[in-house]
Short mmCIF file of all heavy atoms in Angstrom, two decimals:
data_model
loop_
_atom_site.label_atom_id
_atom_site.label_comp_id
_atom_site.label_asym_id
_atom_site.label_seq_id
_atom_site.Cartn_x
_atom_site.Cartn_y
_atom_site.Cartn_z
N THR A 88 5.53 11.84 11.63
CA THR A 88 5.77 10.64 10.84
C THR A 88 5.51 10.92 9.37
O THR A 88 4.78 11.84 9.00
CB THR A 88 4.88 9.47 11.28
OG1 THR A 88 3.50 9.79 11.04
CG2 THR A 88 5.09 9.11 12.73
N ILE A 89 6.13 10.09 8.55
CA ILE A 89 5.80 10.05 7.12
C ILE A 89 5.67 8.59 6.70
O ILE A 89 6.32 7.71 7.27
CB ILE A 89 6.85 10.77 6.24
CG1 ILE A 89 8.26 10.20 6.49
CG2 ILE A 89 6.83 12.27 6.47
CD1 ILE A 89 8.81 9.37 5.37
N ASN A 90 4.80 8.34 5.74
CA ASN A 90 4.73 7.04 5.09
C ASN A 90 5.51 7.16 3.79
O ASN A 90 5.23 8.04 2.96
CB ASN A 90 3.27 6.66 4.82
CG ASN A 90 3.15 5.31 4.14
OD1 ASN A 90 3.44 5.19 2.95
ND2 ASN A 90 2.70 4.32 4.86
N LEU A 91 6.49 6.31 3.58
CA LEU A 91 7.39 6.45 2.45
C LEU A 91 6.65 6.37 1.12
O LEU A 91 7.02 7.05 0.15
CB LEU A 91 8.47 5.38 2.52
CG LEU A 91 9.70 5.59 1.63
CD1 LEU A 91 10.37 6.92 1.94
CD2 LEU A 91 10.68 4.44 1.79
N ASP A 92 5.60 5.58 1.06
CA ASP A 92 4.84 5.48 -0.19
C ASP A 92 4.18 6.81 -0.53
O ASP A 92 4.07 7.17 -1.71
CB ASP A 92 3.79 4.37 -0.09
CG ASP A 92 4.41 2.99 0.01
OD1 ASP A 92 5.57 2.83 -0.44
OD2 ASP A 92 3.75 2.08 0.55
N ASP A 93 3.72 7.54 0.49
CA ASP A 93 3.12 8.86 0.25
C ASP A 93 4.15 9.80 -0.36
O ASP A 93 3.86 10.56 -1.29
CB ASP A 93 2.62 9.47 1.57
CG ASP A 93 1.39 8.79 2.11
OD1 ASP A 93 0.73 8.06 1.36
OD2 ASP A 93 1.10 9.00 3.31
N VAL A 94 5.38 9.77 0.18
CA VAL A 94 6.42 10.67 -0.31
C VAL A 94 6.76 10.35 -1.76
O VAL A 94 6.85 11.24 -2.61
CB VAL A 94 7.68 10.58 0.58
CG1 VAL A 94 8.78 11.48 0.05
CG2 VAL A 94 7.34 10.97 2.02
N ARG A 95 6.94 9.09 -2.06
CA ARG A 95 7.31 8.70 -3.41
C ARG A 95 6.21 9.02 -4.42
O ARG A 95 6.48 9.39 -5.56
CB ARG A 95 7.63 7.21 -3.45
CG ARG A 95 8.97 6.87 -2.81
CD ARG A 95 9.20 5.38 -2.78
NE ARG A 95 10.60 5.08 -2.48
CZ ARG A 95 11.03 3.88 -2.15
NH1 ARG A 95 10.17 2.87 -2.04
NH2 ARG A 95 12.32 3.68 -1.91
N ALA A 96 4.96 8.88 -3.97
CA ALA A 96 3.83 9.13 -4.88
C ALA A 96 3.43 10.59 -4.94
O ALA A 96 2.58 10.97 -5.74
CB ALA A 96 2.63 8.28 -4.45
N GLY A 97 4.03 11.43 -4.10
CA GLY A 97 3.68 12.84 -4.08
C GLY A 97 2.31 13.12 -3.51
O GLY A 97 1.71 14.15 -3.81
N ARG A 98 1.82 12.20 -2.65
CA ARG A 98 0.53 12.45 -2.01
C ARG A 98 0.68 13.52 -0.93
O ARG A 98 1.77 13.78 -0.46
CB ARG A 98 -0.03 11.15 -1.42
CG ARG A 98 -0.51 10.16 -2.48
CD ARG A 98 -1.27 9.01 -1.83
NE ARG A 98 -0.39 8.06 -1.18
CZ ARG A 98 0.08 6.96 -1.76
NH1 ARG A 98 -0.23 6.69 -3.02
NH2 ARG A 98 0.87 6.13 -1.09
N GLY A 99 -0.45 14.07 -0.51
CA GLY A 99 -0.42 15.08 0.53
C GLY A 99 -1.16 16.32 0.09
O GLY A 99 -1.59 16.44 -1.06
N PRO A 100 -1.33 17.27 0.99
CA PRO A 100 -2.02 18.52 0.65
C PRO A 100 -1.20 19.34 -0.35
O PRO A 100 0.03 19.19 -0.45
CB PRO A 100 -2.14 19.25 1.98
CG PRO A 100 -1.03 18.71 2.81
CD PRO A 100 -0.87 17.28 2.40
N ARG A 101 -1.86 20.21 -1.06
CA ARG A 101 -1.19 21.08 -2.03
C ARG A 101 -0.31 22.09 -1.30
O ARG A 101 -0.71 22.66 -0.29
CB ARG A 101 -2.25 21.80 -2.87
CG ARG A 101 -1.69 22.73 -3.93
CD ARG A 101 -2.83 23.23 -4.82
NE ARG A 101 -3.81 24.00 -4.07
CZ ARG A 101 -3.78 25.33 -3.95
NH1 ARG A 101 -2.81 26.03 -4.53
NH2 ARG A 101 -4.71 25.96 -3.25
N ASN A 102 0.89 22.30 -1.81
CA ASN A 102 1.77 23.33 -1.26
C ASN A 102 1.27 24.68 -1.75
O ASN A 102 1.43 25.02 -2.92
CB ASN A 102 3.21 23.07 -1.72
CG ASN A 102 4.18 24.12 -1.22
OD1 ASN A 102 3.81 25.05 -0.49
ND2 ASN A 102 5.44 23.99 -1.62
N VAL A 103 0.70 25.47 -0.86
CA VAL A 103 0.09 26.73 -1.28
C VAL A 103 1.02 27.92 -1.19
O VAL A 103 0.81 28.93 -1.86
CB VAL A 103 -1.19 27.02 -0.46
CG1 VAL A 103 -2.26 25.98 -0.76
CG2 VAL A 103 -0.90 27.12 1.02
N ASP A 104 2.11 27.82 -0.36
CA ASP A 104 2.93 29.02 -0.20
C ASP A 104 4.34 28.78 0.32
O ASP A 104 5.05 29.73 0.67
CB ASP A 104 2.23 30.03 0.72
CG ASP A 104 1.92 29.48 2.11
OD1 ASP A 104 2.51 28.44 2.49
OD2 ASP A 104 1.10 30.07 2.84
N SER A 105 4.80 27.53 0.43
CA SER A 105 6.11 27.27 1.00
C SER A 105 7.19 27.29 -0.08
O SER A 105 7.07 26.62 -1.11
CB SER A 105 6.14 25.91 1.70
OG SER A 105 7.46 25.65 2.20
N GLY A 106 8.25 28.06 0.19
CA GLY A 106 9.40 28.10 -0.71
C GLY A 106 10.67 27.60 -0.05
O GLY A 106 11.77 27.86 -0.55
N ALA A 107 10.55 26.88 1.06
CA ALA A 107 11.73 26.40 1.79
C ALA A 107 12.54 25.44 0.94
O ALA A 107 11.99 24.68 0.12
CB ALA A 107 11.30 25.73 3.09
N THR A 108 13.85 25.46 1.13
CA THR A 108 14.74 24.51 0.47
C THR A 108 15.35 23.58 1.51
O THR A 108 15.33 23.85 2.71
CB THR A 108 15.85 25.22 -0.31
OG1 THR A 108 16.57 26.09 0.58
CG2 THR A 108 15.27 26.05 -1.45
N GLY A 109 15.92 22.49 1.02
CA GLY A 109 16.37 21.45 1.94
C GLY A 109 15.18 20.66 2.44
O GLY A 109 14.02 20.99 2.15
N THR A 110 15.43 19.59 3.14
CA THR A 110 14.35 18.76 3.65
C THR A 110 14.77 18.04 4.92
O THR A 110 15.95 17.72 5.10
CB THR A 110 13.90 17.72 2.61
OG1 THR A 110 12.85 16.91 3.16
CG2 THR A 110 15.05 16.83 2.18
N THR A 111 13.81 17.79 5.79
CA THR A 111 14.05 17.06 7.03
C THR A 111 14.04 15.55 6.83
O THR A 111 14.33 14.81 7.79
CB THR A 111 12.98 17.42 8.07
OG1 THR A 111 11.69 17.01 7.58
CG2 THR A 111 12.96 18.91 8.36
N LEU A 112 13.73 15.07 5.65
CA LEU A 112 13.53 13.63 5.45
C LEU A 112 14.73 12.80 5.88
O LEU A 112 14.58 11.67 6.35
CB LEU A 112 13.20 13.34 3.98
CG LEU A 112 11.75 13.57 3.55
CD1 LEU A 112 11.61 13.36 2.05
CD2 LEU A 112 10.80 12.66 4.30
N GLY A 113 15.92 13.35 5.74
CA GLY A 113 17.11 12.59 6.13
C GLY A 113 17.22 12.34 7.62
O GLY A 113 18.06 11.54 8.05
N ASP A 114 16.38 12.99 8.43
CA ASP A 114 16.41 12.81 9.89
C ASP A 114 15.51 11.68 10.36
O ASP A 114 15.55 11.31 11.54
CB ASP A 114 15.95 14.09 10.59
CG ASP A 114 16.85 15.28 10.30
OD1 ASP A 114 18.01 15.06 9.92
OD2 ASP A 114 16.38 16.42 10.45
N PHE A 115 14.70 11.12 9.47
CA PHE A 115 13.65 10.19 9.90
C PHE A 115 14.20 8.78 10.07
O PHE A 115 15.09 8.34 9.35
CB PHE A 115 12.51 10.20 8.89
CG PHE A 115 11.59 11.38 9.01
CD1 PHE A 115 12.01 12.66 8.68
CD2 PHE A 115 10.29 11.23 9.47
CE1 PHE A 115 11.18 13.75 8.80
CE2 PHE A 115 9.43 12.32 9.59
CZ PHE A 115 9.88 13.58 9.26
N LEU A 116 13.63 8.07 11.07
CA LEU A 116 14.02 6.70 11.41
C LEU A 116 12.85 5.76 11.17
O LEU A 116 11.70 6.10 11.45
CB LEU A 116 14.43 6.62 12.88
CG LEU A 116 15.52 7.58 13.35
CD1 LEU A 116 15.72 7.45 14.86
CD2 LEU A 116 16.82 7.34 12.61
N ARG A 117 13.15 4.57 10.69
CA ARG A 117 12.08 3.60 10.42
C ARG A 117 11.53 3.05 11.74
O ARG A 117 12.29 2.73 12.66
CB ARG A 117 12.61 2.47 9.55
CG ARG A 117 11.53 1.49 9.07
CD ARG A 117 12.01 0.66 7.90
NE ARG A 117 13.25 -0.04 8.21
CZ ARG A 117 14.08 -0.50 7.28
NH1 ARG A 117 13.80 -0.32 5.98
NH2 ARG A 117 15.18 -1.14 7.63
N VAL A 118 10.23 2.95 11.82
CA VAL A 118 9.58 2.51 13.05
C VAL A 118 10.03 1.11 13.43
O VAL A 118 10.29 0.81 14.61
CB VAL A 118 8.05 2.57 12.91
CG1 VAL A 118 7.36 1.85 14.08
CG2 VAL A 118 7.57 4.01 12.82
N SER A 119 10.18 0.22 12.48
CA SER A 119 10.43 -1.18 12.79
C SER A 119 11.77 -1.42 13.46
O SER A 119 11.88 -2.24 14.38
CB SER A 119 10.34 -2.04 11.52
OG SER A 119 11.34 -1.63 10.58
N ASP A 120 12.82 -0.71 13.02
CA ASP A 120 14.16 -1.03 13.50
C ASP A 120 15.06 0.19 13.71
O ASP A 120 16.26 0.04 13.93
CB ASP A 120 14.85 -2.00 12.53
CG ASP A 120 14.92 -1.43 11.10
OD1 ASP A 120 14.51 -0.27 10.89
OD2 ASP A 120 15.38 -2.17 10.21
N LEU A 121 14.50 1.40 13.63
CA LEU A 121 15.24 2.65 13.82
C LEU A 121 16.29 2.90 12.73
O LEU A 121 17.17 3.74 12.91
CB LEU A 121 15.90 2.70 15.20
CG LEU A 121 14.98 2.59 16.41
CD1 LEU A 121 15.79 2.68 17.70
CD2 LEU A 121 13.90 3.67 16.40
N ALA A 122 16.18 2.20 11.62
CA ALA A 122 17.11 2.45 10.52
C ALA A 122 16.82 3.82 9.92
O ALA A 122 15.66 4.16 9.67
CB ALA A 122 16.98 1.37 9.44
N PRO A 123 17.85 4.63 9.67
CA PRO A 123 17.62 5.94 9.04
C PRO A 123 17.22 5.77 7.58
O PRO A 123 17.50 4.75 6.95
CB PRO A 123 18.97 6.64 9.16
CG PRO A 123 19.96 5.53 9.26
CD PRO A 123 19.27 4.40 9.97
N LEU A 124 16.55 6.78 7.07
CA LEU A 124 16.18 6.79 5.66
C LEU A 124 17.48 6.78 4.86
O LEU A 124 18.30 7.70 4.99
CB LEU A 124 15.35 8.04 5.36
CG LEU A 124 14.36 7.99 4.21
CD1 LEU A 124 13.36 6.87 4.41
CD2 LEU A 124 13.64 9.32 4.09
N GLU A 125 17.71 5.75 4.04
CA GLU A 125 18.95 5.62 3.30
C GLU A 125 19.07 6.73 2.26
O GLU A 125 18.09 7.18 1.69
CB GLU A 125 19.03 4.25 2.65
CG GLU A 125 19.05 3.11 3.66
CD GLU A 125 19.11 1.74 3.00
OE1 GLU A 125 19.21 1.70 1.75
OE2 GLU A 125 19.05 0.73 3.73
#
């Protein structure tokens, strides 16, 4: 899971060594109604 406010605010642990590109965020569904991340 992700909390959208965390993503927008850049909260979370420090990225110490990841250089990956692209993101899985587009795969996530909202808990309340299964709406995809717009």
